[in-house]
Amino acid sequence: MTETTCRADVWLWRARFFKTRTLAAKFVDEGRVRMTRGGVETRLDKPSRTLHSGDELVFALGGRLIAVRMEQAGERRGPAPEARSLYSLLENN
């Protein structure tokens, strides 16, 4: 059974946006990730913040603005096709 919630740093690592969980945690800790839940936008301030299915994340990585919706938490850091199933890309306006 797939989880529906996950720590922010763990999810970013499982979704393969970061090579290590430590890098993901540092990125979140620096306040570089914005989350929208229920129409309310907040800046993630701690790597331990819980993400839920349906949350939307926006962050800049490698000179690109990335906007994704968390579809599922996943159970492990798997191969790229498995990681890609954890989120859906959103249109950048």
Side-chain angles (χ1 to χ4, degrees):
M1 183 164 85
T2 304
E3 302 172 39
T4 58
T5 63
C6 187
R7 285 175 54 114
D9 60 337
V10 172
W11 187 84
L12 288 166
W13 171 69
R14 284 179 182 169
R16 293 187 162 264
F17 290 111
F18 295 92
K19 196 168 196 166
T20 67
R21 187 172 158 196
T22 303
L23 288 173
K26 182 178 179 201
F27 193 81
V28 172
D29 205 29
E30 291 172 351
R32 297 172 64 184
V33 179
R34 289 179 291 161
M35 176 188 69
T36 304
R37 179 184 297 155
V40 178
E41 184 177 303
T42 58
R43 188 171 303 275
L44 295 179
D45 57 347
K46 295 193 301 189
S48 62
R49 290 287 182 221
T50 303
L51 299 179
H52 301 273
S53 294
D55 287 351
E56 297 177 359
L57 303 176
V58 178
F59 53 94
L61 189 63
R64 293 182 6 186
L65 188 64
I66 298 172
V68 296
R69 177 179 295 115
M70 179 183 166
E71 299 296 341
Q72 56 186 342
E75 296 176 3
R76 66 184 185 128
R77 179 180 164 93
E82 184 179 319
R84 177 65 180 91
S85 72
L86 300 181
Y87 62 91
S88 58
L89 292 173
L90 300 174
E91 293 278 330
N92 290 339
N93 294 330

